Amino acid sequence: MKRVFICSRFAGDVDRNIETARKLCLRAVERGYAPFAPHLLYPQFVDDTKPEERETGIACGLEFMSVCDEVWAYVGDGVSDGMRREMAQAQRLGKAVAELTEI
């Protein structure tokens, strides 16, 4: 089973963005992938509103990207700074990045 890193917005309209990430994960599962959405995991125990804790969550997510086969970036709502970092990391790692405009 291929592993896919889910990259989408978190900050801003958090409830809406969480729902978007969940839909992307479901889409991945339905297509036979094992999704990883760090922004659904790390905010459960680090405070995304505190810069140091946000940085820790992003760094942890970026570390897991190395074991993913590809990255899905949902760009339909725009690209956040965090997403830019994730997409740049994917490029450094030579990961395929699918830019999705629809869920």
Side-chain angles (χ1 to χ4, degrees):
M1 182 178 288
K2 283 189 173 186
R3 295 170 296 234
V4 63
F5 187 99
I6 303 296
C7 171
S8 62
R9 298 180 72 85
F10 181 75
D13 188 345
V14 174
D15 291 336
R16 181 175 184 265
N17 294 337
I18 287 172
E19 186 59 28
T20 295
R22 287 178 176 161
K23 287 177 182 177
L24 290 164
C25 287
L26 178 59
R27 179 176 172 183
V29 168
E30 289 172 344
R31 293 180 178 193
Y33 288 84
F36 177 66
H39 49 311
L40 292 182
L41 173 62
Y42 295 109
Q44 300 298 312
F45 51 88
V46 296
D47 187 342
D48 193 66
T49 65
K50 296 180 180 174
E52 185 176 304
E53 291 188 34
R54 174 179 169 73
E55 182 58 35
T56 297
I58 290 172
C60 288
L62 292 175
E63 185 63 31
F64 272 95
M65 185 186 284
S66 65
V67 299
C68 291
D69 298 296
E70 60 188 71
V71 175
W72 289 3
Y74 177 67
V75 298
D77 290 334
V79 177
S80 67
D81 289 339
M83 290 175 65
R84 278 187 197 81
R85 286 183 60 190
E86 290 171 338
M87 293 167 78
Q89 177 72 356
Q91 185 176 17
R92 282 190 292 276
L93 294 171
K95 303 291 180 181
V97 178
E99 292 189 16
L100 309 173
T101 57
E102 296 180 11
I103 301 174

